[in-house]
Amino acid sequence: MSLKQKTFKGVIWSAVERFSTQGVQFLFGILLARLLTPNDYGMIAMLTIFMAVSQTFIDSGFGNALIRKPDRNEADKATVFFFNIFMAAACYGIIFLGAPFVAQFYKMPQLSDILRILAINLIIQAFGSIQRLNLTIDLNFKTLAKVSLIGAIVGGTAGLISAYNGLGVWSLVIQQMVTTSTRVVLFWTLVHWRPKTFFNKTSFKNMFGFGSKLLASGLLNTLYENIYDLIIGKFFSASTLGNYSRASHFANFPSSNITGIFQRVTFPVLSKIQDDPVKLRKGYLKFLNMSTLVIFPLMIGLAALAKPFILLVLTEKWANVILILQIICIAHMWHPVHAINLNVLQVMGRSDLFLKLEIIKKITGIIILCVTLPYGIIAMCFGQWVDTCFGLVVNTYYSGKLLNAGLLSQMKMYIPTLLNSLIMGAISVGVTKILPEKEYALQLVLGIAAGALYYVASNWIFNRETVKELLELLNKKKNKM
């Protein structure tokens, strides 16, 4: 199978894995939100930063270092495997001891026990790290799709049963625990890799140079991605954080999934052609064009139909989510562009530049957060627009400079899709305005239908060559399945 075929197969199965899994989690999330309260979700969101930072330390950039390493061997894999387990145990010990201080920070004593139980996930997940990486290296997203989907279904069912029986916030803890455990069991069952050696100092040193820089940048990114939860949880109520958390969850559903699909596929694929600048540039621009063609209409459409969507699926008790969701959708729709630009820096071995850019962007983001904090949650959300625009300029400047495809040339590629998506969003909003006020289901269905019909038709008329290419690839894939 050629690299092009593997790439397309990887994109398809990565999409299946992301959207089927996230779709199931999305459905269970809606059902759970109807049984639980914003306060329940707020408590879990308060702890997310501690889990995310720990996970970043556990990986320490060694995952990407292993994927990028062309001459990887069993010693490298075993080293990463045992390192992950050791770091998971160490992080859990720190969290266990520090849990009471976290509870004191938020002035919510019940958070101590919740965090101690939730953190067990770190150790469980570490045991499936190399199996997952092996599948990513081989672009075997079909198996990843099976594992992720089954884990989501089993974990979601456990969480739903728990919520129905009145366990409240513990339902969310149980959901995560069961999901992680199921996936690790499936990884060990379906992926026939076992450590054949033990920790190797030479392998560790070889990967540490690249991985350590990614650790630092990954840590900065993780802290920044979760700092809003930390600040909102500290200075506002758990209910406010719960509303923000739900809005972020819905905005992240299309954004993070599209980003995840292209990020996971582009990194190994572009790594294979890193020594051919012409092919690398062509592949880079193609991935950018494909990602925006999909993500722009999804995010603008979600913002346009946020009101009927939230009031229909979550009921009136979640009404405060609507405006927050509409604002952050615009910021989140640029995430795939950021991810692909940053992947180029890693592929070209410029983890040093990657780290510098992350430091600059995060310092700027913190300044924006501090300026908007006194004006409330809505102002903080608008601040994300400014942060996204600054990050876009910085990322595209340096990655574009390396491949002769800077911000100006990229924006020329984005603008037609952006304008077309905005028109689509206006059509969807227009449809909801002419329908009865409380008919949320009808507004949602007809709004989606009208917007989708316009977007598909307009792309067929004005962007037919790209559409034909995608259809041809889909037909090739279908014939091979």
Side-chain angles (χ1 to χ4, degrees), residues 379-427:
M380 293 168 66
C381 292
F382 275 116
Q384 293 184 26
W385 286 15
V386 179
D387 186 32
T388 293
C389 290
F390 179 77
L392 186 67
V393 172
V394 173
N395 288 339
T396 55
Y397 174 78
Y398 285 99
S399 59
K401 190 175 181 180
L402 292 172
L403 290 176
N404 192 29
L407 178 62
L408 185 60
S409 60
Q410 288 189 36
M411 289 306 298
K412 288 180 180 178
M413 182 171 63
Y414 303 147
I415 287 175
T417 300
L418 179 59
L419 292 176
N420 203 30
S421 299
L422 288 171
I423 295 172
M424 178 214 71
I427 291 172

Side-chain angles (χ1 to χ4, degrees), residues 123 126 163 189 225 305 341 375 386 427 477:
I123 298 176
T189 303
E225 289 294 324
L305 298 172
N341 275 281
Y375 300 98
V386 179
I427 291 172
K477 176 64 183 173

